[in-house]
Structure formats: structure tokens, C-alpha cells
């Protein structure tokens, strides 16, 4: 790979690693018993799509230290996408989301395989939970066998426990905050731990640790990665409600039906007066929410200017991230790639 950042070429490299590795593991899993075939299919489906941003941040965390391109490093970076795949399977299960990348989520896809069994819905959910667990295990396996020297891997291994702890803490916080009184500060804390850290900061830190990054550079990675990761999730919240499903591949109503603690909902509530709060209160968390009800929520949000507030928060965080990046003494190709990644993470349609 040349020093010119080519996202498409990088994505192809990561896809090749992921699909080959997971296909082999899925075959070994299915070989245990024919009944496991549908579960094995969901392992492969979980890595079929994605922008591979997390792998890219890990890769450039390595390159920004001055290390050259490396196929072994691409394999290590690809393990970040397995962490993401595991988190997505679990998140969709917890949120009972029906779609991801325009396809049924695993807990729904697996219903067809168990429809003749007692408690088919529960069985499908249990199986999906285990798909997510296995994907997380495979992430560690791919990382450990990526081909980098053992001494390099040892430098980064402690960060894996931090990544897992903070990711699960964020998911738990979202569960505990769901349905609670909207609070922007609390929502942003969920954003930071559930998404921002494992999407940008931790992949950068792991790539840097593999390369032997010093303390100052690692601190710079966090100063860049945390606000950018928050901007990424804030954009995701906007797309979740206002984006086109044909682009996002997800259902629009999930956050409202689930009364999730998004900053968008929290800001809407903060700006609302009593009559709007009464209207919103009847719609948030409603499992019977229809298209008209969803449009009513959007209308309130637009009238109060809540989406504009989130856009401002996104812009401020991207600017903060880029300021931190500009303060780092990293090679020009890495600075250029990380600048491009900042814009692609925060300005997107899906």
C-alpha cells in the first residue's frame, strides 16, 4: 500500500482478511453438528458489510509512529472489526432492532431456523447472543495470530481489557438510562463509553502501542479520538431518525420506540415546553409508534432546533479532534489520512 490514503483499497484488504478468517472459523463451527449451520451463517453475515473505520484508525495509529505498511498489521487491525461485529449483534439484540445493513438482524434471521421449536423467539435470541460472544472471542484470536512479533503484541494486550471494559460499561449505561429522564450530559457519557472509545480512541491506541508509540503521541491519539468518536455517534443518532433507510440500512423508529438515551432526544426535551413534552411523552417508548407518530416527533425536533444543536455539537467535536491532530508531529501521510478519516466519520449518509 502506498502512502496515499486509499479507503477503498484498504477496505478490500480488511474485507479479504475478515471474510477468509471468519469463513474458516464458521466451517469449523458448523462441522461440530449440522444443527449449527444457521448459526455459522450468521457469523459470516456479521462481517459481510462495513466501512472498516475501526480497522483504519488502528492502521494509522501504527503508521503515525513511523512504521511501514504491513499485512500482519492489517490482520491485527481487522480484529477491531470483529469487536464491532460482536457489539452490533449484542446491541441489536438488546434494542430488538429489526434491520442492519438492510438485512434482518441475527436474532430475527435465526427465527426461521428454529420456527418449529418451542419458544422459537427466545431460542433465536439466545443463539444471537452466542453469535456475538463468539465474534468477540474470534477478535482476540485474530489479533493474537496476526503475525506481528510477540513483543509488539505484548505492548498492546493490556489495552484489550480496557476496550472491553469500557465498551460493556457504555452498553450497560445505555440500558440503565433507557426510559429515564432525558439528560444531555448523561447521554454524552453513554456516547463516549458505548461508541466513541472503541470506534476511534482504542483502535488508535492499540495501533500505536503495537508500533511502540510514546506517551505524548498516545495522549494525542486520545485528544483526537474521543471528540471524533463522539461526533461519529452523534451523527449516527441524527441518521437513525432523519436518515433514509435505503442509505442507513436501519429502521428509523428504533431510538424513539426504545426511548433510548440519545443526545438528540435529550436536547429536544431540554428545549421543549410543557405542551411539547406532553406530546413527546405520549410517543417516546411507544411500541405502537407508527409513521405518523414518528413524523410528529421529527416535527417537534425540527421546530425546536434540536437537530441543529446536534450538528453544532458534531462540528465542535470534529474541530477539536483536528486541532489535536495538528498539534502532533506525525508523518504527512498519517496526518492526511487521519484528517480524511475525521471528515468521513462525521459527515456521512449511513
Amino acid at each position: 500500500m502506498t502512502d496515499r490514503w486509499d479507503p477503498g483499497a484498504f477496505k478490500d484488504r480488511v474485507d479479504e482478511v475478515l471474510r477468509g478468517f471468519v469463513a474458516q472459523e464458521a466451517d469449523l463451527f458448523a462441522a461440530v453438528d449440522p444443527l449449527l449451520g444457521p448459526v455459522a451463517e450468521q457469523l459470516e453475515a456479521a462481517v459481510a458489510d462495513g466501512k472498516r473505520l475501526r480497522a483504519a484508525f488502528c492502521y494509522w495509529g501504527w503508521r503515525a509512529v513511523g512504521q511501514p505498511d504491513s499485512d500482519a498489521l492489517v490482520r491485527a487491525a481487522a480484529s477491531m472489526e470483529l469487536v464491532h461485529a460482536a457489539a452490533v449483534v449484542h446491541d441489536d439484540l438488546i434494542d430488538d432492532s429489526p434491520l442492519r445493513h438492510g438485512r434482518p438482524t441475527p436474532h430475527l434471521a435465526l427465527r426461521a431456523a428454529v420456527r418449529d421449536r418451542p419458544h422459537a423467539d427466545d431460542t433465536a435470541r439466545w443463539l444471537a447472543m452466542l453469535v456475538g460472544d463468539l465474534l468477540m472471542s474470534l477478535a482476540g484470536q485474530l489479533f493474537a495470530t496476526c503475525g506481528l512479533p510477540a513483543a509488539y503484541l505484548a505492548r498492546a494486550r493490556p489495552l484489550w481489557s480496557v476496550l472491553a471494559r469500557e465498551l460493556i460499561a457504555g452498553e450497560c449505561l445505555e440500558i440503565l438510562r433507557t426510559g429515564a429522564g432525558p439528560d444531555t450530559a448523561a447521554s454524552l457519557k453513554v456516547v463516549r463509553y458505548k461508541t466513541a472509545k472503541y470506534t476511534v480512541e482504542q483502535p488508535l491506541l492499540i495501533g500505536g502501542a503495537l508500533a511502540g508509540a510514546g506517551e505524548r503521541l498516545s495522549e494525542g491519539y486520545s485528544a483526537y479520538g474521543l471528540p471524533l468518536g463522539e461526533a461519529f455517534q452523534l451523527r449516527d443518532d441524527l441518521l437513525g431518525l432523519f436518515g433514509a433507510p435505503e442509505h442507513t440500512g436501519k429502521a428509523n423508529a428504533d431510538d424513539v420506540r426504545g426511548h433510548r438515551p440519545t443526545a438528540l432526544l435529550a436536547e429536544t426535551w431540554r428545549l421543549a415546553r410543557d405542551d411539547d413534552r406532553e406530546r413527546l411523552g405520549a410517543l417516546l417508548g411507544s411500541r405502537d409508534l407508527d409513521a405518523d407518530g414518528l413524523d410528529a416527533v421529527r416535527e417537534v425536533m425540527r421546530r425546536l432546533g434540536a437537530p441543529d444543536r446536534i450538528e453544532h455539537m458534531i462540528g465542535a467535536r470534529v474541530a477539536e479532534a483536528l486541532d489535536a491532530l495538528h498539534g502532533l508531529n506525525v508523518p504527512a501521510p498519517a496526518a492526511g489520512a487521519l484528517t480524511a478519516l475525521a471528515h468521513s466519520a462525521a459527515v456521512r449518509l449511513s
Side-chain angles (χ1 to χ4, degrees), residues 279-297:
R279 191 178 187 193
L280 289 168
L283 295 168
L284 297 178
S286 171
R287 306 307 294 181
D288 299 323
L289 185 75
D290 58 13
D292 289 340
L294 195 58
D295 283 341
V297 173

Side-chain angles (χ1 to χ4, degrees), residues 317-341:
R317 282 160 173 77
V318 172
E320 181 182 349
L322 292 176
D323 281 348
L325 177 62
H326 295 155
L328 295 176
N329 182 25
V330 299
L338 290 171
T339 299
L341 283 166

Side-chain angles (χ1 to χ4, degrees), residues 115-139:
R115 61 180 177 270
D116 296 329
R117 299 178 62 86
H119 312 296
D121 286 356
D122 286 341
T123 299
R125 295 178 69 84
W126 299 332
L127 292 173
M129 177 184 69
L130 294 169
V131 168
D133 292 347
L134 183 51
L135 286 166
M136 186 63 87
S137 173
L138 293 178

